[in-house]
Amino acid sequence: MSAPPPETAENSDSARSSLEALRTEIAKAVVGQDPAVTGLVVALLCRGHVLLEGVPGVAKTLLVRALAASLELDTKRVQFTPDLMPSDVTGSLVYDARTAEFSFQPGPVFTNLLLADEINRTPPKTQSSLLEAMEERQVTVDGTPRPLPEPFLVAATQNPVEYEGTYPLPEAQLDRFLLKLTVPLPSRQDEINVLTRHAEGFNPRDLRAAGVRPVAGPADLEAARIAVAKTTVSEEIAGYVVDICRATRESPSLALGVSPRGATALLSTARAWAWLTGRDYVTPDDVKALALPTLRHRIQLRPEAEMEGVTPDSVITAILAHVPVPR
């Protein structure tokens, strides 16, 4: 296999322009979800996975499908249900009567963008079947490891846990997600725009008819990842990330603070955001911009704080306001 081309400023700028065009392209199908689009792009640059949380009907599924169409990537969808088995996700051995042998039938996880729809509606055994795929980027069936395609991203949607019939994700699996993005209800004007599009014949199942076209591809992602890896992180910025994460471990509102893996994740997402905004170095504002989506699912509130109306976002926001910012 030939070596990838050397990274140049032209490659980096071209990749950035292509990824910036994603927002315009996805907007042809999805109205008013720019932060979620940016979060998904950051996750792709960091080779991470995303948890999308929002009430049913706010275009979480459509958002992932539009991203795949804009990047010319393969995508598959799994509807998680209470009776879904792990083999329904990863694949299984199937007996072939003609050859009298077992052959591997790949599951939907063998794709570039896996949409795990309503992941908290399935029991923990099936939820955990994604762990190896997300962490190791491979699936082991009958003792044989099988690598997954590259790039590979799991975008799992979940309904808020107060809905009936849900199984909250365990901390071990939550920590495997790079970002937790909230997908809010649209504003009044955005909702009017959605209805207007549907009245004009928009079909969410036919993105090509909606005008969504590939504007970037795997080569752009690879060039972008190389550029992100070269983004400078000063010792002061690294210390700032550590101070934020250590403050969560000392917060009286939290039973569980951010682990060192969470600190590493925050540094990675801040680097990707810095590069996307056109810089080759990380600033404290980059860290602040990605702190909420990177950390909100890695902390656990104390029951008494939860009863008082404290939220993970409010705790992190307060910590950001109190931790000294490097100059």
Side-chain angles (χ1 to χ4, degrees):
M1 188 169 64
S2 60
E7 174 64 15
T8 65
E10 292 78 9
N11 288 345
S12 177
D13 292 342
S14 174
R16 186 185 292 112
S17 298
S18 297
L19 294 178
E20 286 174 350
L22 283 175
R23 193 170 304 178
T24 303
E25 204 64 22
I26 293 173
K28 295 177 181 178
V30 181
V31 176
Q33 296 294 358
D34 276 359
V37 173
T38 301
L40 285 165
V41 173
V42 166
L44 279 168
L45 294 179
C46 298
R47 302 181 86 244
H49 308 285
V50 173
L51 190 61
L52 297 168
E53 184 173 88
V55 298
V58 289
K60 299 186 295 292
T61 302
L62 181 60
L63 177 61
V64 175
R65 290 181 54 241
L67 175 67
S70 301
L71 283 170
E72 206 168 12
L73 295 176
D74 181 48
T75 182
K76 290 188 175 68
R77 174 180 175 273
V78 179
Q79 177 64 56
F80 280 76
T81 58
D83 59 350
L84 193 75
M85 299 295 291
S87 59
D88 296 329
V89 178
T90 61
S92 59
L93 294 176
V94 177
Y95 182 71
D96 189 339
R98 292 173 298 177
T99 62
E101 292 180 351
F102 285 92
S103 61
F104 179 65
Q105 182 66 37
V109 75
F110 286 86
T111 187
N112 296 123
L113 294 184
L114 175 67
L115 177 61
D117 222 351
E118 297 182 308
I119 192 173
N120 60 339
R121 287 192 60 214
T122 202
K125 182 178 181 180
T126 305
Q127 291 173 353
S128 66
S129 67
L130 276 179
L131 275 177
E132 183 191 16
M134 292 169 62
E135 191 69 14
E136 305 296 335
R137 297 178 182 271
Q138 67 177 23
V139 167
T140 302
V141 177
D142 196 33
T144 304
R146 294 175 169 85
L148 296 172
E150 182 64 35
F152 173 69
L153 177 143
V154 173
T157 72
Q158 71 171 10
N159 299 331
V161 293
E162 54 265 31
Y163 279 75
E164 293 184 12
T166 59
Y167 301 81
L169 290 167
E171 287 77 12
Q173 185 152 356
L174 279 173
D175 207 32
R176 295 307 199 278
F177 287 98
L178 181 71
L179 299 171
K180 179 181 178 182
L181 306 174
T182 56
V183 185
L185 289 165
S187 65
R188 181 177 184 273
Q189 187 55 54
D190 283 343
E191 197 163 359
I192 290 173
N193 293 341
V194 170
L195 265 61
T196 301
R197 288 188 180 189
H198 280 264
E200 293 172 350
F202 171 70
N203 181 1
R205 295 173 183 82
D206 189 356
L207 294 178
R208 185 166 293 277
V212 179
R213 297 287 186 271
V215 292
D220 296 302
L221 281 176
E222 187 56 34
R225 286 172 175 174
I226 293 172
V228 169
K230 294 181 179 180
T231 303
T232 304
V233 178
S234 67
E235 189 173 341
E236 291 77 15
I237 292 297
Y240 183 51
V241 171
V242 168
D243 290 343
I244 290 171
C245 295
R246 291 180 70 86
T248 65
R249 302 168 203 163
E250 300 165 2
S251 171
S253 299
L254 299 180
L256 179 69
V258 177
S259 69
R261 181 191 295 173
T264 303
L266 179 55
L267 188 60
S268 297
T269 56
R271 290 176 89 182
W273 176 246
W275 178 81
L276 278 172
T277 51
R279 280 177 283 103
D280 60 358
Y281 58 92
V282 180
T283 68
D285 285 342
D286 299 324
V287 176
K288 289 181 179 180
L290 272 297
L292 285 177
T294 308
L295 303 181
R296 59 164 58 110
H297 57 298
R298 302 175 192 270
I299 60 178
Q300 191 176 80
L301 293 170
R302 293 187 184 277
E304 55 268 30
E306 208 163 357
M307 290 175 63
E308 292 172 2
V310 176
T311 65
D313 283 16
S314 66
V315 172
I316 295 169
T317 301
I319 287 172
L320 291 174
H322 285 91
V323 172
V325 179
R327 296 188 180 277

